[in-house]
Amino acid sequence: MDIEERFLKYVSIDTQSDEYSDTTPSTLKQLDLGKELVKEMLELGITDAHLDEYGIVYGTIKGNGGTGDIIGFIAHMDTSPDASGTNIKPQKINNYDGSIIEINKELGLSLDPEEFVSLKKMVGHDLITTDGTTLLGADDKAGVAIIMDLANYLYEHPEVKHNDIKIAFTPDEEVGRGADNFDVNKFGAKYAYTLDGGDIEEYNYENFNAYSAQVEITGKSIHPGNAKDKMVSAINVAIEFENMLPAQQKAYFTDGYDGFNHLHHLEGGCEKATLEYIIRNHDLTLAKKQINDFKRIKKYLDEKYGYELIKLDIKESYLNMAEVIKENYYIIERLEKAMNSVGIQGFASPIRGGTDGARLTFMGLPCPNIGTGGDNFHGPFEFVSLTMMKQSVEILKELIKE
């Protein structure tokens, strides 16, 4: 089974996670892929391959005389709740010629390189797209396929000397829980790389400091005919709260190292309203300033309306792994050397998001991120370059060499 067959097999299995579920993993269908991966790993001689009680797959490609560092590779099995992951119908474009790709004529959906400029550097690549009705699942089944293709290569080429190589596949990364139950000690690697990026030339060791904020507003519901000086409409206060946050920090005004506050869910009425935010910034000091904005607005509105109108709950999601990676920079130097060895001039790029690796880094497993060739994740315009996926496998081969 080559890497294309693996990838198409994995995306055919629906593994969408659910941020509102309280089970572990958040959806049981993620276990379907986990069980399939364990089966394939055992067939490739990974005798300790297993799916644990939390839905995490672990395994060791046993060393054959190599004495280098014990390193690991990690990818996540789930796909985003933002778009359907059911009944995916991938479409392949061989030797892409740089033209507009029509992915769904009936829906009028296409990939235009003038809009999706990353396509311009993929002329000559073999691409896989969606049919416009679902996401593709390259985030992160491309990463899963890359790691499994490496395992297959090493199984077929026992002459390649290496130390133990640890691999793991996690559930629920897309809902921020991928590392919740990860056993770093059992994994047993000195450091690892996540395969969860985009362009193959980019690698990541900086990510957002990430927090979530839930704003619960309790209004005073009065018949509108008698509401004067009595009613407090929770939904109107919700609008007021949102409008008091700095306008320039809305996500659609930001890029690069800019932080943002993003209102991703709002519901309610006169009596109750709830706003759910994500708060992001690469700079921890600025992230804390954003958090203080939320607290300041709560205090102001409570005082304005004369009672505890707002309940505010802010939680840490993950922190910027750069703090730890910079103290272990040889991990990045090894990656740069591996990329150069296969003819890729890599460059570091800050992640405007996070990976399992961010949290694992603070759990004692330094874990920068490598590209997989995917783009436009979480929606119907998602695609992946098979050419880049194969290049990613070559980078991993260099990383495990003595």
Side-chain angles (χ1 to χ4, degrees), residues 21-27 30-31 50-58 74 168-173 175-187 317 356 359-360 363 365:
S21 168
D22 58 4
T23 64
T24 302
S26 66
T27 56
Q30 293 179 71
L31 300 177
H50 67 283
L51 179 67
D52 79 358
E53 61 187 301
Y54 304 110
I56 302 173
V57 175
Y58 296 94
I74 301 169
F169 305 108
T170 60
D172 289 340
E173 190 272 352
V175 295
R177 305 179 206 165
D180 279 4
N181 301 291
F182 196 96
D183 191 330
V184 170
N185 291 330
K186 181 172 80 171
F187 189 57
S317 301
D356 282 341
R359 291 186 58 200
L360 292 172
M363 293 164 62
L365 182 67

Side-chain angles (χ1 to χ4, degrees), residues 354-398:
T355 68
D356 282 341
R359 291 186 58 200
L360 292 172
T361 294
F362 285 93
M363 293 164 62
L365 182 67
C367 205
N369 189 46
I370 302 175
T372 64
D375 208 345
N376 297 341
F377 299 136
H378 297 193
F381 296 103
E382 184 181 7
F383 66 90
V384 70
S385 163
L386 277 172
T387 305
M388 285 190 180
M389 287 177 65
K390 293 173 183 177
Q391 289 176 306
S392 190
V393 176
E394 295 305 310
I395 292 171
L396 301 198
K397 291 178 186 177
E398 291 297 322

Side-chain angles (χ1 to χ4, degrees), residues 6 39-46 148 151-152 155:
R6 287 187 189 282
K39 175 177 173 291
E40 292 181 16
M41 289 162 71
L42 291 171
E43 290 171 353
L44 294 175
I46 302 174
M148 289 299 294
N152 183 76
Y155 179 71

Side-chain angles (χ1 to χ4, degrees), residues 128-142:
I128 296 178
T129 75
T130 74
D131 71 343
T133 62
T134 67
L135 49 65
L136 178 61
D139 182 13
D140 184 29
K141 290 168 184 173

Side-chain angles (χ1 to χ4, degrees), residues 114-132:
E114 294 304 317
E115 180 179 3
F116 302 106
V117 294
S118 61
L119 283 168
K120 293 183 177 182
K121 68 185 298 182
M122 296 186 184
V123 174
H125 289 210
D126 294 333
L127 307 178
I128 296 178
T129 75
T130 74
D131 71 343

Side-chain angles (χ1 to χ4, degrees), residues 89-191:
K89 299 182 179 68
Q91 302 181 116
K92 186 179 179 186
I93 295 92
N94 291 313
N95 193 22
Y96 173 57
D97 63 6
S99 63
I100 295 174
I101 302 170
E102 185 178 80
I103 58 175
N104 192 307
K105 184 176 182 180
E106 183 178 333
L107 297 176
L109 299 178
S110 62
L111 290 167
D112 186 338
E114 294 304 317
E115 180 179 3
F116 302 106
V117 294
S118 61
L119 283 168
K120 293 183 177 182
K121 68 185 298 182
M122 296 186 184
V123 174
H125 289 210
D126 294 333
L127 307 178
I128 296 178
T129 75
T130 74
D131 71 343
T133 62
T134 67
L135 49 65
L136 178 61
D139 182 13
D140 184 29
K141 290 168 184 173
V144 175
I146 289 165
I147 294 171
M148 289 299 294
D149 199 66
L150 173 71
N152 183 76
Y153 171 81
L154 293 175
Y155 179 71
E156 294 180 348
H157 294 272
E159 74 278 7
V160 177
K161 297 298 181 185
H162 59 84
N163 203 341
D164 287 354
I165 300 166
K166 303 291 184 174
I167 61 177
F169 305 108
T170 60
D172 289 340
E173 190 272 352
E174 296 291 359
V175 295
R177 305 179 206 165
D180 279 4
N181 301 291
F182 196 96
D183 191 330
V184 170
N185 291 330
K186 181 172 80 171
F187 189 57
K190 184 175 182 180
Y191 54 89

Side-chain angles (χ1 to χ4, degrees), residues 308-342:
E308 190 174 1
L309 171 70
I310 294 170
K311 179 181 177 183
L312 176 63
D313 184 23
I314 297 176
K315 294 179 179 177
E316 178 187 298
S317 301
Y318 50 84
L319 296 176
N320 189 348
M321 61 180 160
E323 176 185 337
V324 177
I325 300 296
K326 286 177 180 177
E327 296 176 356
N328 299 273
Y329 199 73
Y330 70 95
I331 301 170
I332 300 301
E333 292 171 339
R334 285 203 63 190
L335 176 58
E336 290 171 338
K337 182 179 178 182
M339 295 175 81
N340 290 338
S341 295
V342 297

